[in-house]
């Protein structure tokens, strides 16, 4: 008898958030004996990615080591497409999993499509409706949707975007976001503030966690964000800003020039995932333009002011647990002032829960993949899908 052929799945990641969001899914996939999993890292990020690999104890099977300081999008995309093509030729998986909307995800999906390898898109269907915001991610995720076989939409909002674009309903599985699965692996262990942060801040002060890195904010908008931070510490003498700064030199140059030294502003190196989440849990407020951070904060009842023009993650904004504030200095300061004075914010979030996921997204994805592999439609009923229950 011929030996039983395993389902060969490759997954590709390149940046910090892709690795965090793929980690729980990889864990679930490797637990299935009939699946052989192969992890490709493009190395689009280096130190920020390695922090995640080391935290989740992940070793990629291959690393394309694509990061170069300040390379532009076409240079990166071309190198990623080339590298992925060679790998896919060599390994010919039955399915390639990509996550989100980065250049790695786009190039990976395109390379698989060219080689007629089915693509599974984790976090499919997010849309801001504006190709410039976020740039280039809105275009990347729309392009990925055009050649995806299995669309793992995190929420019904995302599912509806795909349906509106004419995507075959039987290819869409509503799973919740795997970022919440990742959080559940650590949320019980997260208790204390990380030692370095605790030593830097005054313990009875309120903590504001800041992150900012978006390409469309480089230059003026990022300067405005920095001016808002300077003004917030001037206005409130009981707040401490903790700002783990992205490794991108385009971000660093502006931030270091625009925020003068201040004893209550702590610009620090990127925190590892555990320490970042621990800091988030202790924060009174988060100011961020990050996608993942918007999805994580509701779990801890921490309000987020989203410093962007648009968000493709309206689920939290719609239930008033985060707010879209743009990048205008005065507006950020006004909204931060309001949020810091709103004692009901945290209660509101505690009542609603996290609208992005319930910690079971990876299980749903694996189950859908197995159903698809057996030749059936990977359908999940509404009861089996992730449906966010709004409060009364
Ligand atoms: C990328 C993604 C973005 C995602 C973000 C997560 C694209 C187009 N953008 O943006 O969608 O939200 O990652 O953080 O895919 N760098 C380092 N070390 C690192 C990481 C980055 O030095 O560990 C520096 C390098 O100089 C690199 C630059 O940052 O060239 C930019 O990195 P890149 O991946 O091109 O874009 P991001 O802005 O990080
Ligand atoms: N994160 C981290 N350390 C940090 C900042 C962020 O581990 O210093 C994590 C965070 O918990 C979230 C993810 O990185 O899961 C978000 O990544 P990023 O903001 O770089 O990308 P985006 O989500 O905007 O694509």
């Amino acid at each position: 008898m011929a030996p039983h052929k395993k389902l060969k799945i490759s997954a590709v990641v390149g940046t910090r958030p892709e690795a965090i969001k793929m980690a729980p899914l990889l864990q679930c996939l490797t637990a299935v004996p009939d699946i052989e999993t192969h992890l490709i890292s493009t190395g689009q990020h280096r130190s920020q990615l390695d922090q995640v690999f080391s935290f989740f104890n992940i070793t990629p099977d291959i690393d394309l080591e694509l990061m170069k300081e300040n390379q532009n999008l076409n240079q990166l995309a071309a190198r990623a497409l080339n590298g992925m093509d060679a790998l896919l030729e060599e390994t010919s998986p039955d399915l390639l999993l990509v996550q989100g909307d980065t250049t790695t995800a786009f190039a990976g999906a395109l390379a698989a499509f060219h080689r007629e390898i089915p693509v599974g898109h984790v976090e499919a269907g997010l849309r801001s409706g504006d190709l410039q915001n976020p740039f280039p991610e809105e275009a990347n995720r729309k392009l990925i949707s055009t050649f995806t076989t299995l669309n793992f939409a995190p929420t019904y909002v995302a599912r509806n975007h795909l349906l509106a674009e004419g995507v075959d309903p039987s290819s869409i599985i509503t799973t919740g976001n795997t970022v919440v699965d990742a959080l559940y692996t650590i949320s019980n262990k997260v208790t204390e503030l990380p030692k370095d942060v605790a030593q830097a801040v005054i313990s009875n002060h309120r903590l504001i966690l800041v992150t900012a890195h978006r390409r469309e904010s480089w230059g003026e908008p990022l300067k405005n964000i920095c001016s808002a931070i300077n003004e917030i510490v001037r206005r409130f003498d009981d707040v401490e800003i903790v700002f783990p700064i992205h490794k991108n030199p385009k971000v660093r140059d502006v931030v270091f020039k625009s925020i003068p030294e201040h004893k209550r502003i702590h610009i620090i190196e990127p925190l590892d995932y555990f320490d970042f989440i621990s800091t988030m849990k202790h924060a009174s407020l988060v100011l961020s333009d990050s996608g993942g951070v918007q999805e994580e904060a509701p779990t801890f009842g921490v309000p987020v002011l989203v410093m962007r023009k648009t968000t493709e993650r309206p689920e939290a904004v719609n239930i008033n647990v985060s707010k879209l504030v743009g990048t205008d200095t005065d507006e950020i300061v006004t909204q931060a002032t309001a949020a810091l004075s709103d004692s009901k914010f945290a209660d509101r979030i505690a009542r609603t829960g996290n609208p992005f996921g319930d910690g079971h997204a990876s299980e749903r994805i694996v189950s859908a993949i197995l159903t698809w592999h057996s030749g059936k439609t990977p359908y999940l009923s509404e009861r089996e899908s992730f449906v966010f229950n709004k409060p009364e």
Side-chain angles (χ1 to χ4, degrees), residues 122-266:
V122 179
E123 201 180 76
L126 273 62
R127 297 288 184 269
S128 68
D130 179 349
L131 283 181
Q132 300 305 317
N133 288 284
F135 177 87
E137 290 81 2
E138 178 75 358
N140 283 347
R141 55 192 169 223
K142 287 184 84 167
L143 290 163
I144 294 170
S145 298
T146 59
F147 33 71
T148 291
T149 300
L150 292 171
N151 292 281
F152 302 113
T155 66
Y156 266 75
V157 173
R159 176 188 179 83
N160 287 339
H161 287 142
L162 294 171
L163 292 174
E165 288 171 13
V167 172
D168 176 0
S170 69
S171 75
I172 311 171
I173 304 98
T174 313
T175 60
N177 199 305
T178 56
V179 80
V180 182
D181 302 14
L183 260 188
Y184 279 22
T185 63
I186 62 164
S187 51
N188 289 339
K189 300 176 199 141
V190 171
T191 48
E192 307 290 318
L193 255 185
K195 225 166 66 250
D196 293 353
V197 177
Q199 275 167 0
V201 301
I202 296 177
S203 59
N204 62 351
H205 281 178
R206 289 181 289 177
L207 212 129
I208 302 181
L209 178 61
V210 179
T211 78
H213 70 83
R214 296 241 80 86
R215 200 165 282 261
E216 65 277 9
S217 292
W218 292 355
E220 241 7 80
L222 190 54
K223 280 188 201 157
N224 295 342
I225 289 172
C226 294
S227 303
I229 290 167
N230 294 330
E231 177 56 21
I232 291 167
V233 286
R234 202 188 60 74
R235 241 182 227 200
F236 294 92
D237 57 14
D238 70 332
V239 305
E240 306 269 343
I241 305 278
V242 176
F243 188 171
I245 190 166
H246 196 283
K247 282 285 185 190
N248 193 333
K250 294 241 170 32
V251 173
R252 293 186 161 223
D253 289 351
V254 173
V255 171
F256 288 131
K257 278 192 195 123
S258 312
I259 302 186
E261 256 189 52
H262 188 291
K263 63 177 185 308
R264 288 183 289 112
I265 304 181
H266 314 280

Side-chain angles (χ1 to χ4, degrees), residues 15-18 20-21 45 48 51-52 101-102 137 179 183 211 213-214 244-246 269-277 280 288-293 295-296 308 313:
T15 66
R16 169 171 68 191
E18 290 166 271
I20 291 170
K21 290 171 171 182
H45 280 179
Q48 291 182 178
Q51 268 187 339
V52 182
D101 48 24
T102 65
E137 290 81 2
V179 80
L183 260 188
T211 78
H213 70 83
R214 296 241 80 86
I245 190 166
H246 196 283
E269 286 304 312
L271 290 166
D272 78 20
Y273 178 61
F274 190 88
D275 285 354
F276 184 78
I277 296 297
M280 179 188 282
S288 181
D289 63 9
S290 159
V293 172
E295 294 157 342
E296 291 162 339
R308 295 169 51 173
R313 294 168 166 90

Side-chain angles (χ1 to χ4, degrees), residues 299-339:
T299 292
F300 302 110
V302 183
V304 184
L305 300 184
V306 183
M307 300 185 293
R308 295 169 51 173
K309 265 195 195 156
T310 59
T311 178
E312 61 288 341
R313 294 168 166 90
E315 291 86 345
V317 176
N318 290 346
I319 55 169
N320 287 324
V321 300
S322 67
K323 200 157 193 174
L324 191 61
V325 299
T327 54
D328 175 72
T329 305
D330 291 344
E331 185 61 13
I332 296 171
V333 174
T334 303
Q335 295 295 344
T337 304

